[in-house]
Amino acid sequence: MDTYSRFPLTLVRGKGLWVWDDEGRRYLDCVAGIAVCTLGHSDRVLRRNLCHQLGTLQHVSNLYRIPEQEALARAICERSCADKVFFCNSGAEANEAAIKLARKHGHVVRGIERPVILTAEASFHGRTLAAVSATGQPKYHQNFEPMVEGFRYFPYNDTAAFEALLAECEAEGPRVAAVLLEPLQGEGGVNPGDPAFFQRVRQLCDERSILLILDEVQVGVGRSGRWWGHERLGIEPDAFTLAKGLGGGIPIGALAVKASADLLRAGEHASTFGGNPFACRAGLTVIQEIERRDLLTHVEAMATCLREQLEALVQRHPTLLERQRGWGLLQGLVLREEAPSAPDLVKAAMAEGLLLVPAGPRVVRFVPPLVIRPRHIRKAIKRLERALLTLA
Ligand SMILES: *Cc1c(COP(=O)(O)O)cnc(C)c1O
């Protein structure tokens, strides 16, 4: 179906940071399938482990115990505040599980009949009906009303607005089950969370036994330079969701919860494919390789390198470029009103052999594989600058 306005580009092969189109042209990939290909393309270890898993066992069912799933759950819990994990197949699906968890918490812990979940404006939580209802962007709701009820929105990082909405919702007693937030808004324009705001939200949630759930689908699994984006905000969530980078290109999603938020019981949620041996082998390999190659330290170094070069680019083109923003390997270049639009710049960069992705009309987003090297970053900036000059 015509659900995508695709670029006229057909990619047929990839290796590391590079992909090739059907005419043999090579592109430097700073998209990584939108923050998915954590280890780059065609990684040797991921390929070896997945081939081995294909030859051992691909899929059974959650009717039975699955050792790879238990090992991946353990790997996530050992590196986070979580105690239990539910596996599914995508970010939207992970958020659906989180929304069900939040509603059950509202009913059984807070005694609310019609629980409400607070989410941010300009957020992005996926395209299934509840996840898109959670998404605070009216353009994604249009033509699909009625939305799933029970979501209220407030401006991201705005403590006063959050406090006012919470007070309004709870004026006549408990009404709010959870707050669902991205540690950094990716799709909504690469807006990093403000630690002071998140710490205040954490405090207010604690006071009322409201769940704080973080959507780590884009920033989780090393992209922030820490295992989880919330480590940059100085808080622990009650639950968080993962997907994109976790499988390094194999579809997988997860909802991770603390023991105190471990509320879903047998028969209350399920997925046929969720957590199968193949997908979990991919997730395990990604986590093991991040550790073995010390990629968290590497991401911090590469993030500094990328930030400095984007800032230098902004200084060279102050009439077109406004600023760099974001952290880790999730950074955005904000374009001025007078500059070409982000989609036009992305198209021009493609002609220079560089893949980037817009985050809204005025932000170009960098979400490269975590294995990017300084030489790739230098090349990317050069190509981006050439693209900018062809449009200016
Ligand atoms: C991409 C994304 C989603 C949706 O993930 P899908 O796998 O496309 O369903 C949800 N939340 C955030 C923060 C995302 O970036």
Side-chain angles (χ1 to χ4, degrees), residues 90-93 95 124-127 182 187 215 217-218 243-244:
S90 69
E93 215 186 327
N95 287 331
F124 186 79
H125 300 295
R127 303 302 199 104
E182 294 159 89
E187 198 268 356
D215 179 343
V217 166
Q218 192 158 159
K244 290 192 168 91

Side-chain angles (χ1 to χ4, degrees), residues 353-375:
L354 170 66
L355 302 187
L356 294 169
V357 57
R362 303 243 63 92
V363 181
V364 170
R365 181 168 31 158
F366 286 76
V367 277
L370 305 191
V371 294
I372 193 169
R373 316 281 316 177
R375 64 173 186 279

Side-chain angles (χ1 to χ4, degrees), residues 36-41 46 50 243-252 282-283 286:
V36 166
C37 305
T38 311
L39 305 176
H41 296 280
L46 185 59
L50 289 179
K244 290 192 168 91
L246 179 58
I250 303 304
I252 185 168
V286 166

Side-chain angles (χ1 to χ4, degrees), residues 121-124 137 139-140 156 182 184-192 218 323-327 330-335 342 357-366:
E121 291 168 9
S123 58
F124 186 79
Q137 298 194 55
K139 68 174 181 191
Y140 291 134
Y156 192 62
E182 294 159 89
L184 173 156
Q185 293 186 323
E187 198 268 356
V190 191
N191 305 309
Q218 192 158 159
R323 56 172 298 206
Q324 173 281 351
R325 72 183 176 209
W327 30 246
L330 207 176
Q331 297 190 28
L333 180 64
V334 185
L335 309 174
V357 57
R362 303 243 63 92
V363 181
V364 170
R365 181 168 31 158
F366 286 76

